Coordinates of all heavy atoms in Angstrom, one line a residue:
Chain A
P77 N 83.4 83.0 129.3 CA 83.9 84.3 129.6 C 84.4 85.1 128.4 O 84.7 86.3 128.4 CB 85.1 84.1 130.6 CG 85.6 82.7 130.3 CD 84.4 82.0 129.8
T78 N 84.6 84.3 127.3 CA 85.2 84.9 126.1 C 84.2 85.7 125.2 O 83.1 85.1 124.9 CB 85.9 83.8 125.2 OG1 86.8 83.1 126.0 CG2 86.5 84.4 123.9
I79 N 84.5 86.9 124.9 CA 83.6 87.7 124.0 C 84.4 87.9 122.7 O 85.5 88.3 122.7 CB 83.3 89.1 124.6 CG1 82.5 88.8 125.9 CG2 82.5 89.9 123.6 CD1 82.1 90.1 126.6
V80 N 83.7 87.6 121.6 CA 84.3 87.8 120.2 C 83.4 88.6 119.4 O 82.2 88.4 119.3 CB 84.5 86.4 119.5 CG1 85.2 86.6 118.2 CG2 85.3 85.4 120.4
S81 N 83.9 89.7 118.8 CA 83.1 90.6 118.0 C 83.6 90.7 116.6 O 84.7 90.3 116.3 CB 83.2 92.0 118.6 OG 84.4 92.6 118.5
H82 N 82.7 91.2 115.7 CA 82.9 91.3 114.3 C 82.6 89.9 113.6 O 83.1 88.9 114.1 CB 84.3 91.8 113.8 CG 84.5 93.2 114.1 ND1 84.1 94.2 113.2 CD2 85.0 93.9 115.2 CE1 84.4 95.4 113.8 NE2 84.9 95.2 114.9
V83 N 81.8 89.9 112.6 CA 81.4 88.7 111.9 C 82.5 87.8 111.6 O 82.5 86.6 111.9 CB 80.5 89.0 110.6 CG1 80.3 87.7 109.8 CG2 79.2 89.7 111.0
A84 N 83.5 88.3 110.8 CA 84.6 87.4 110.4 C 85.4 86.8 111.5 O 85.8 85.7 111.5 CB 85.5 88.2 109.4
N85 N 85.5 87.6 112.6 CA 86.2 87.1 113.8 C 85.4 86.0 114.5 O 86.0 85.0 114.9 CB 86.4 88.4 114.7 CG 87.5 88.1 115.8 OD1 88.4 87.3 115.7 ND2 87.3 88.9 116.9
I86 N 84.1 86.2 114.6 CA 83.3 85.2 115.2 C 83.3 83.9 114.4 O 83.4 82.9 115.0 CB 81.8 85.8 115.3 CG1 81.7 87.0 116.2 CG2 80.9 84.7 115.8 CD1 80.4 87.7 116.2
L87 N 83.2 84.1 113.1 CA 83.2 82.8 112.3 C 84.6 82.2 112.4 O 84.7 80.9 112.4 CB 82.9 83.2 110.9 CG 81.4 83.6 110.7 CD1 81.2 84.1 109.2 CD2 80.4 82.5 111.0
M88 N 85.7 82.9 112.4 CA 87.0 82.3 112.6 C 87.1 81.6 113.9 O 87.7 80.5 114.0 CB 88.1 83.4 112.4 CG 89.4 82.7 112.0 SD 90.7 84.0 111.9 CE 91.9 83.0 111.0
Y89 N 86.5 82.1 114.9 CA 86.5 81.5 116.2 C 85.6 80.2 116.2 O 86.0 79.2 116.8 CB 86.0 82.5 117.3 CG 85.9 82.0 118.7 CD1 87.0 82.0 119.5 CD2 84.7 81.5 119.2 CE1 86.9 81.5 120.8 CE2 84.6 81.0 120.5 CZ 85.7 81.0 121.3 OH 85.6 80.5 122.6
L90 N 84.5 80.3 115.6 CA 83.6 79.2 115.6 C 84.0 78.1 114.7 O 83.6 76.9 114.9 CB 82.1 79.7 115.3 CG 81.4 80.4 116.3 CD1 80.0 80.9 115.7 CD2 81.1 79.6 117.6
G91 N 84.7 78.5 113.6 CA 85.0 77.5 112.5 C 85.4 76.1 113.0 O 84.8 75.1 112.7
P92 N 86.5 76.1 113.8 CA 87.0 74.7 114.2 C 86.0 74.1 115.2 O 85.9 72.9 115.2 CB 88.3 75.1 115.0 CG 88.6 76.5 114.6 CD 87.4 77.2 114.2
R93 N 85.3 74.9 116.0 CA 84.4 74.3 117.0 C 83.1 73.8 116.3 O 82.5 72.8 116.8 CB 84.0 75.4 118.0 CG 85.1 75.8 118.9 CD 84.9 77.1 119.6 NE 85.9 77.4 120.6 CZ 87.0 78.0 120.4 NH1 87.4 78.4 119.2 NH2 87.9 78.2 121.4
L94 N 82.7 74.3 115.2 CA 81.5 73.8 114.5 C 81.8 73.0 113.3 O 81.0 72.6 112.5 CB 80.7 75.0 114.0 CG 80.2 76.1 115.1 CD1 79.3 77.1 114.5 CD2 79.6 75.4 116.3
A95 N 83.1 72.6 113.1 CA 83.6 71.9 111.9 C 83.2 72.5 110.6 O 82.7 71.9 109.7 CB 83.0 70.4 112.0
L96 N 83.4 73.9 110.6 CA 83.1 74.6 109.4 C 84.3 75.4 108.9 O 84.2 76.4 108.2 CB 81.9 75.7 109.7 CG 80.5 75.1 109.9 CD1 79.6 76.1 110.3 CD2 80.1 74.5 108.5
S97 N 85.5 74.9 109.2 CA 86.7 75.4 108.6 C 87.7 74.3 108.5 O 87.7 73.3 109.2 CB 87.2 76.6 109.5 OG 87.6 76.2 110.8
P98 N 88.7 74.5 107.6 CA 89.7 73.5 107.4 C 90.7 73.4 108.6 O 90.8 74.3 109.3 CB 90.4 73.9 106.1 CG 90.2 75.3 106.0 CD 88.9 75.7 106.8
A99 N 91.5 72.3 108.6 CA 92.4 72.1 109.7 C 93.7 72.9 109.5 O 94.3 73.4 110.4 CB 92.8 70.6 109.9
D100 N 94.1 73.0 108.3 CA 95.4 73.7 107.9 C 95.3 75.2 108.2 O 94.4 75.9 107.8 CB 95.7 73.4 106.4 CG 96.9 74.1 106.0 OD1 98.0 73.6 106.3 OD2 96.8 75.2 105.3
E101 N 96.4 75.7 108.8 CA 96.4 77.1 109.2 C 96.4 78.0 108.0 O 95.7 79.0 108.0 CB 97.7 77.4 110.0 CG 97.6 78.8 110.7 CD 99.0 79.4 110.9 OE1 100.0 78.8 110.6 OE2 99.1 80.5 111.5
G102 N 97.2 77.7 107.0 CA 97.2 78.6 105.8 C 95.8 78.6 105.1 O 95.3 79.7 104.7
Q103 N 95.1 77.5 105.1 CA 93.8 77.4 104.5 C 92.8 78.2 105.4 O 91.8 78.8 104.8 CB 93.3 76.0 104.4 CG 94.1 75.1 103.4 CD 93.7 75.5 102.0 OE1 94.3 76.4 101.4 NE2 92.7 74.9 101.5
R104 N 93.0 78.2 106.7 CA 92.1 79.0 107.5 C 92.2 80.5 107.3 O 91.3 81.2 107.3 CB 92.4 78.7 109.0 CG 91.8 77.5 109.5 CD 91.8 77.4 111.0 NE 91.5 76.0 111.3 CZ 91.5 75.5 112.5 NH1 91.8 76.2 113.6 NH2 91.3 74.2 112.7
H105 N 93.5 80.9 107.0 CA 93.7 82.3 106.7 C 93.1 82.7 105.3 O 92.7 83.8 105.0 CB 95.1 82.7 106.9 CG 95.5 82.9 108.3 ND1 95.2 84.0 109.0 CD2 96.1 82.1 109.2 CE1 95.6 83.9 110.3 NE2 96.2 82.8 110.4
F106 N 93.2 81.7 104.4 CA 92.6 81.9 103.1 C 91.1 82.1 103.2 O 90.5 83.0 102.7 CB 92.9 80.7 102.1 CG 92.2 80.8 100.8 CD1 92.3 81.9 100.0 CD2 91.4 79.7 100.4 CE1 91.6 81.9 98.8 CE2 90.7 79.7 99.2 CZ 90.8 80.9 98.4
L107 N 90.5 81.2 104.0 CA 89.1 81.3 104.3 C 88.7 82.6 105.0 O 87.7 83.3 104.6 CB 88.7 80.1 105.2 CG 87.3 80.1 105.8 CD1 86.2 80.1 104.8 CD2 87.1 78.9 106.7

Side-chain angles (χ1 to χ4, degrees):
Chain A
T78 302
I79 296 179
V80 183
S81 68
H82 288 274
V83 170
N85 195 26
I86 297 169
L87 291 174
M88 202 180 195
Y89 178 84
L90 286 176
R93 291 166 170 84
L94 305 184
L96 287 172
S97 65
D100 177 73
E101 192 206 3
Q103 291 289 91
R104 279 194 196 174
H105 282 283
F106 174 54
L107 172 57

